[in-house]
Amino acid sequence: MNFIKRMPLTTRLQWLVWIAVFLIIFFSLIPEEGFNHAIVFTAISISFYLIVIYGNIKLIFPRYYERGNTTAYVIFAIILVVGGGLARCFIWMTVWNKYFAPTPEPITIGTMINFVVAGVLTYLLSFVFRIAIAYFTLKQQSEKILAQKSQAELNLLKSQVQPHFLFNTLNNIYYEAYREAPRTAKLIERLSDIMRYFVDESPKDEVSLTTEIQFLENYIALEKIRIRHGIDLSFIQDFNKELRIPPMLLMTFVENIFKHGIDKSSSENKVELSLVQQDGYLMFQTKNNVPNLPGTAEHRGFGIENLRKRLAFLYGENFELYTTANNAVFTAFLKVPVSQ
C-alpha cells in the first residue's frame, strides 16, 4: 500500500484505467467464450494496446513529431500500427488454432485487415490517452503550485505577525522605560523606527526622502551610544520634502563613517553631512576624520563598490560617486538625478 501511495497520481490513474479495461474485456467474453479463452484473448489485446498507445505517446511522438521530424514520425507510426496489428493477428490466430479452435482456421487478408484497423483505432485512442495524461499532470502541478502559494502566503503572514509583535513589545518597553529613563525610552523608540523601516519601507522601490533621513538620524543616534567621548556632527539639509528615492541609497556613506571613520578613544571625532538638491540632482556628501587604526583603509571600499553597482543598475551612467582622502579627512560624494 505504501508503494502505491508513493506513486504519482497520473501513474495510479493509468493503472486504474488499464485494470478497468482488462476487467471489461475479460468479463464480456466469459459468458460466450469461457474463462481460458477470455483470459488469453484479454491478455494479448491489452499487451497490443499498451504497445501501440505508449509506443506513440512515449516514444515516437516526442522523439520525432515534437522535434519537427514529421516524415520520420509518419513512417514509424505506420510501422507501429500495421506491424502491431499484424503481430497481434498472427499471435492470436496461432493461439486460437492451437488451443481453442475446433478446426484450424487460415489467416486471411480480411482477418489481417480487421486487426490492422483495430491498430488504427488504438493509435487514434492514444492521442485521447495522451491528452488525458497531460490534463491530470497539469492539474496535479496546478494543485501543487496552489499549495505552495498558500504556504508562501502563510509564511508571509507569519513574517508580518512576528515583527509587529516585536514592535508592540518594544512600544510597551518604551512606555515602561519612559517613566524611569526618558533618554533610554527615546533610544528604544529609535530602534523600533529603524526596524519598522526595514520591514515596511526597504522592500519598496522608492521611499520619501524625509523617511530616509529619519532612518539615517535614528541610526546615527543609536551609533553615538557606542562612542565614549561623543562626536561633533553637523547635517546640512536643503531639498524638496516631496522627493522620493530608492531606499538605503544614502546609508552606505553613513555606515562607513561609524565603521571606519570614528576613533572611539578620541574626543576629536568630527563628521559633516550635507544633502542638497540642485538643478534636478540630489547631492549627498560626507566628511569625517581618518583615524589611524589598523585595517581602516582595507575595508572601506567594499560597501562603496556594491553601491556603485546598484547605482549603475538604477541610473545607468547618470550618476556620480567618488571618494577622496586628503589631509586626514575622508570625503564621499554622491550625485543622482531626481524628479520634482
Side-chain angles (χ1 to χ4, degrees), residues 3 8 14 30 59 61 63 65 100 107 115 117 138 142-143 148-149 157 205 208-209 222 240 246 290 296 320 340:
F3 172 74
Q14 289 175 69
I30 281 184
L59 184 62
F61 189 86
R63 180 170 295 183
Y65 186 83
F100 303 110
I107 300 176
F115 278 95
V117 170
L138 182 62
S142 299
E143 291 174 352
Q148 292 173 343
K149 181 175 181 291
L157 180 61
D205 293 333
S208 70
L209 191 50
L222 292 177
N240 182 353
V290 180
T296 300
E320 292 182 30
Q340 298 292 340

Side-chain angles (χ1 to χ4, degrees), residues 24 28 111 119 132 159 182 197 237 245 271 282 293 303-304 308:
I24 290 170
S28 66
T111 303
S159 69
Y197 174 92
Q237 302 179 28
I245 63 170
V271 175
L282 188 67
L293 299 174
I304 296 294
R308 189 182 303 278

Side-chain angles (χ1 to χ4, degrees), residues 129-167:
F129 206 77
R130 182 176 182 274
I131 292 171
I133 293 174
Y135 168 77
F136 284 106
T137 301
L138 182 62
K139 186 174 184 295
Q140 189 176 16
Q141 291 174 347
S142 299
E143 291 174 352
K144 186 176 181 180
I145 291 172
L146 287 174
Q148 292 173 343
K149 181 175 181 291
S150 298
Q151 185 62 44
E153 290 174 348
L154 178 60
N155 292 338
L156 178 61
L157 180 61
K158 289 180 179 178
S159 69
Q160 292 173 336
V161 169
Q162 291 168 357
H164 285 92
F165 167 77
L166 184 57
F167 296 150

Side-chain angles (χ1 to χ4, degrees), residues 206-211 238-245 276-278 281-282 338-340:
E206 289 185 336
V207 298
S208 70
L209 191 50
T210 52
T211 300
D238 183 13
F239 55 85
N240 182 353
K241 294 184 178 181
E242 302 299 321
L243 290 180
R244 300 182 67 83
I245 63 170
V276 178
Q277 178 189 356
Q278 184 177 350
Y281 286 88
L282 188 67
V338 291
S339 56
Q340 298 292 340

Side-chain angles (χ1 to χ4, degrees), residues 48 81 85 88 111-123:
F48 166 74
V81 172
R88 181 190 179 199
T111 303
M112 289 189 288
I113 291 175
N114 287 336
F115 278 95
V116 170
V117 170
V120 173
L121 295 176
T122 305
Y123 168 77

Side-chain angles (χ1 to χ4, degrees), residues 78-271:
I78 292 172
I79 293 173
L80 178 66
V81 172
V82 176
L86 293 177
R88 181 190 179 199
C89 174
F90 283 103
I91 291 171
W92 171 245
M93 291 304 298
T94 301
V95 172
W96 167 258
N97 287 330
K98 185 172 183 179
Y99 296 105
F100 303 110
T103 57
E105 297 179 7
I107 300 176
T108 64
I109 298 295
T111 303
M112 289 189 288
I113 291 175
N114 287 336
F115 278 95
V116 170
V117 170
V120 173
L121 295 176
T122 305
Y123 168 77
L124 296 175
L125 182 63
S126 69
F127 289 100
V128 178
F129 206 77
R130 182 176 182 274
I131 292 171
I133 293 174
Y135 168 77
F136 284 106
T137 301
L138 182 62
K139 186 174 184 295
Q140 189 176 16
Q141 291 174 347
S142 299
E143 291 174 352
K144 186 176 181 180
I145 291 172
L146 287 174
Q148 292 173 343
K149 181 175 181 291
S150 298
Q151 185 62 44
E153 290 174 348
L154 178 60
N155 292 338
L156 178 61
L157 180 61
K158 289 180 179 178
S159 69
Q160 292 173 336
V161 169
Q162 291 168 357
H164 285 92
F165 167 77
L166 184 57
F167 296 150
N168 292 335
T169 303
L170 283 173
N171 287 335
N172 293 335
I173 296 173
Y174 164 80
Y175 288 119
E176 289 295 324
Y178 186 77
R179 299 176 183 175
E180 304 295 333
R183 182 174 180 273
T184 301
K186 184 61 177 177
L187 294 174
I188 293 173
E189 183 182 23
R190 289 185 181 276
L191 176 61
S192 178
D193 289 343
I194 285 177
M195 294 177 64
R196 197 177 298 278
Y197 174 92
F198 281 125
V199 172
D200 295 337
E201 302 296 332
S202 63
K204 298 177 180 178
D205 293 333
E206 289 185 336
V207 298
S208 70
L209 191 50
T210 52
T211 300
E212 190 75 5
I213 296 304
Q214 184 62 51
F215 168 70
L216 292 180
E217 291 177 341
N218 287 332
Y219 176 83
I220 291 169
L222 292 177
E223 283 288 351
K224 288 170 69 175
I225 300 174
R226 304 188 298 113
I227 302 171
R228 184 188 313 168
H229 302 291
I231 60 174
D232 179 8
L233 187 146
S234 63
F235 194 169
I236 298 173
Q237 302 179 28
D238 183 13
F239 55 85
N240 182 353
K241 294 184 178 181
E242 302 299 321
L243 290 180
R244 300 182 67 83
I245 63 170
M248 304 290 290
L249 202 63
L250 312 178
M251 182 61 185
T252 300
F253 286 1
V254 179
E255 188 177 25
N256 274 347
I257 290 172
F258 287 95
K259 277 187 176 181
H260 312 299
I262 299 294
D263 184 354
K264 295 179 182 178
S265 63
S266 173
S267 60
E268 298 182 356
N269 291 298
K270 186 175 182 180
V271 175

